Amino acid sequence: MAEGKKLGGAGLRGQVAGKTALSTVGVSGSGLTYRGYDVKDLAENCEFEEVAHLILKGALPTQAELDAYKTKLKGLRSLPQPLKEVLERIPADAHPMDVIRTGCSMLGNLEQEDTTVMGAFPTQEEAIDRMLACFPSIICYWYRFSHDGVRVEENTDDESIGAHFLHMLRGEKPNELHERVMNVSLILYAEHEFNASTFTARVCASTLSDIHSCITGAIGTLRGPLHGGANEAAMDMIEKFTSADHAEQEMMGMLERKEKIMGFGHAIYSTSDPRNAIIKEWSEKLAADVGDTVLYPVSVRCEEVMWREKKLFCNADFFHASAYHFMGIPTKLFTPIFVMSRLTGWAGHVMEQRADNRIIRPSAEYTGEDLRKVNPIAERG
Ligand SMILES: CCC(=O)SCCNC(=O)CCNC(=O)[C@H](O)C(C)(C)COP(=O)(O)OP(=O)(O)OC[C@H]1O[C@@H](n2cnc3c(N)ncnc32)[C@H](O)[C@@H]1OP(=O)(O)O
Ligand SMILES: O=C([O-])CC(=O)C(=O)O
């Protein structure tokens, strides 16, 4: 089981910045839990929509509740025409995280959350379900239009969000293995306490701003390579290695040059990220499925070298890189998939913050000049 590390120093490390009932991260003996359920248990036994229901509505659904929730989400997949027009104007070389950030923001203009009574938010759950249902459509609509000149059909009949995404991306329904891996992946990425992007969402929520602003800010924060962007950065690295031995040689050089190696280390976990073993197992299955003899052994060797040399372990992002690659997903869409999932955690935290709010406003230790007088401009320089 993953344990917490000794926390202190810069980056607000180790400081309790608020309360949550949504998840525990790195608590000794239980690596990661969502509302009291072990993430491993959830990944083995649930579909992503069940976990979304758990996070957003407070409990795992009954079969009837799950069926109704999936039917509701299926009915919310289509995009408003003005949003499609905006997506069609974004160039193919745009960063897909910027596309989903713009898409979320534009949706907030077209389908505004009701914030008329200060602090009431009567339509927040509707707005969240809508984003959950249509974020995959935003990503795929832009990707297929800008790369293939195709206006993708957003109203597929796929039962799950993961299958819906792959269907729009490829123009055909995914097989069972790929649908299952998408479910597992979306579950693993769904929630992680006060990580940087979630904290961004909570800070925004604490000003009583609207839900689309909270989520837009969180997307921008997840984009960075030290956070969600690490899955793409890890892929960019491992695809350059031609064999496990080559990977080891290059990694040793990077460590000697004190370069950061993406997909390794964690702000809270000390010896392992509990999500890694789960996605690694699925990556291995996918490698066997596609007959890979390079990328998976390369990834395993990277893991061995980092542990042997630095006692650094793979975080959730590292084996997601090879897993997504084996499913034929373009690297630049890896972090937007993270958004499709983490939206549930962000939104859960926004609702939790709103339910017991005080504006988040920490203090700073001043390191600047002592009090001084403004010189007349002619005397400066
Ligand atoms: C799944 C979603 C996520 O957001 S998981 C994080 C994804 N990010 C990455 O994979 C980026 C690479 N990793 C990192 O930059 C850090 O490990 C992150 C995750 C930011 C945590 O930072 P922080 O808590 O400050 O690290 P730390 O105090 O444990 O660092 C201790 C010393 O080890 C080093 N270190 C850490 N990670 C790496 C790495 N990936 N490659 C090489 N070195 C690493 C640190 O630089 C630090 O070294 P030193 O003590 O300053 O000499
Ligand atoms: O908790 C963190 O700092 C980063 C992380 O793993 C996540 O957001 O999933």
Side-chain angles (χ1 to χ4, degrees):
M1 279 294 175
E3 287 180 15
K5 67 182 187 186
K6 283 202 177 66
L7 299 171
L12 293 179
R13 209 64 95 256
Q15 299 185 36
V16 174
K19 293 182 182 179
T20 186
L22 286 164
S23 64
T24 61
V25 173
V27 173
S28 185
S30 58
L32 172 60
T33 64
Y34 301 166
R35 293 197 189 275
Y37 297 99
D38 192 315
V39 74
K40 190 167 185 293
D41 201 2
L42 294 167
E44 268 169 22
N45 296 302
C46 294
E47 297 173 53
F48 172 60
E49 285 77 359
E50 291 174 78
V51 173
H53 192 283
L54 171 70
I55 292 171
L56 296 169
K57 322 279 179 198
L60 283 172
T62 61
Q63 188 63 55
E65 285 168 338
L66 178 63
D67 294 346
Y69 193 41
K70 285 166 82 168
T71 302
K72 179 183 182 192
L73 293 175
K74 271 168 77 172
L76 293 171
R77 286 175 177 168
S78 66
L79 302 176
Q81 187 57 29
L83 175 50
K84 288 185 183 176
E85 285 163 21
V86 166
L87 295 172
E88 289 185 14
R89 297 176 78 105
I90 303 178
D93 65 355
H95 194 300
M97 285 295 279
D98 298 343
V99 176
I100 184 70
R101 191 194 61 211
T102 297
C104 176
S105 186
M106 183 66 184
L107 189 72
N109 286 291
L110 300 171
E111 300 176 9
Q112 297 173 24
E113 185 186 18
D114 182 352
T115 55
T116 43
V117 178
M118 196 171 67
F121 307 113
T123 59
Q124 63 180 2
E125 288 199 43
E126 290 310 307
I128 292 162
D129 286 345
R130 172 72 167 132
M131 286 189 276
L132 193 56
C134 83
F135 273 14
S137 309
I138 293 176
I139 297 162
C140 291
Y141 190 89
W142 166 77
Y143 185 82
R144 295 295 310 281
F145 184 80
S146 61
H147 288 67
D148 307 329
V150 169
R151 288 191 170 92
V152 83
E153 172 56 57
E154 327 94 278
N155 289 306
T156 74
D157 61 356
D158 299 287
E159 283 303 311
S160 68
I161 289 172
H164 170 57
F165 170 77
L166 290 179
H167 190 167
M168 286 185 294
L169 183 64
R170 302 164 171 172
E172 60 182 24
K173 279 182 180 294
N175 64 25
E176 238 175 74
L177 173 65
H178 288 191
E179 183 167 9
R180 182 71 205 129
V181 176
M182 282 304 291
N183 264 306
V184 170
S185 167
L186 295 174
I187 290 170
L188 296 182
Y189 272 146
E191 160 54 11
H192 220 239
E193 199 223 37
F194 274 29
N195 61 84
S197 54
T198 301
F199 196 59
T200 303
R202 283 193 85 127
V203 171
C204 187
S206 82
T207 70
L208 302 183
S209 188
D210 68 292
I211 185 81
H212 299 93
S213 295
C214 300
I215 302 303
T216 302
I219 294 169
T221 308
L222 189 72
R223 182 191 194 284
L226 296 190
H227 193 10
N231 55 14
E232 294 180 17
M235 187 66 222
D236 292 341
M237 179 183 75
I238 58 178
E239 72 184 351
K240 294 197 183 92
F241 303 150
T242 53
S243 67
D245 287 345
H246 181 219
E248 173 150 2
Q249 192 188 329
E250 292 294 321
M251 298 275 288
M252 292 300 285
M254 288 169 80
L255 289 175
E256 217 165 283
R257 294 189 298 276
K258 300 211 176 311
E259 288 174 24
K260 267 254 162 100
I261 302 189
M262 296 298 144
F264 286 88
H266 200 271
I268 305 293
Y269 299 124
S270 60
T271 53
S272 68
D273 179 332
R275 299 166 292 185
N276 177 52
I278 304 168
I279 194 62
K280 181 181 174 186
E281 203 176 309
W282 285 102
S283 174
E284 186 175 13
K285 286 189 184 128
L286 288 163
D289 185 57
V290 297
D292 166 78
T293 54
V294 177
L295 202 64
Y296 184 76
V298 156
S299 304
V300 170
R301 184 69 70 85
C302 292
E303 184 179 35
E304 288 166 1
V305 171
M306 285 297 275
W307 185 253
R308 185 188 72 213
E309 297 296 323
K310 290 277 171 197
K311 292 287 171 280
L312 282 167
F313 52 90
C314 298
N315 57 50
D317 278 333
F318 190 69
F319 276 94
H320 260 106
S322 50
Y324 287 164
H325 183 80
F326 294 142
M327 291 197 289
I329 299 171
T331 304
K332 60 186 187 177
L333 297 187
F334 290 4
T335 320
I337 300 176
F338 197 157
V339 172
M340 285 162 39
S341 159
R342 183 58 59 87
L343 169 64
T344 54
W346 293 332
H349 279 272
V350 168
M351 289 192 284
E352 194 177 53
Q353 180 69 35
R354 286 172 167 183
D356 184 14
N357 188 54
R358 188 169 190 200
I359 191 166
I360 297 174
R361 202 299 187 192
S363 302
E365 181 187 338
Y366 181 63
T367 59
E369 301 284 349
D370 287 338
L371 187 64
R372 49 189 172 159
K373 280 263 177 230
V374 175
N375 285 346
I377 197 162
E379 292 172 21
R380 291 179 219 155

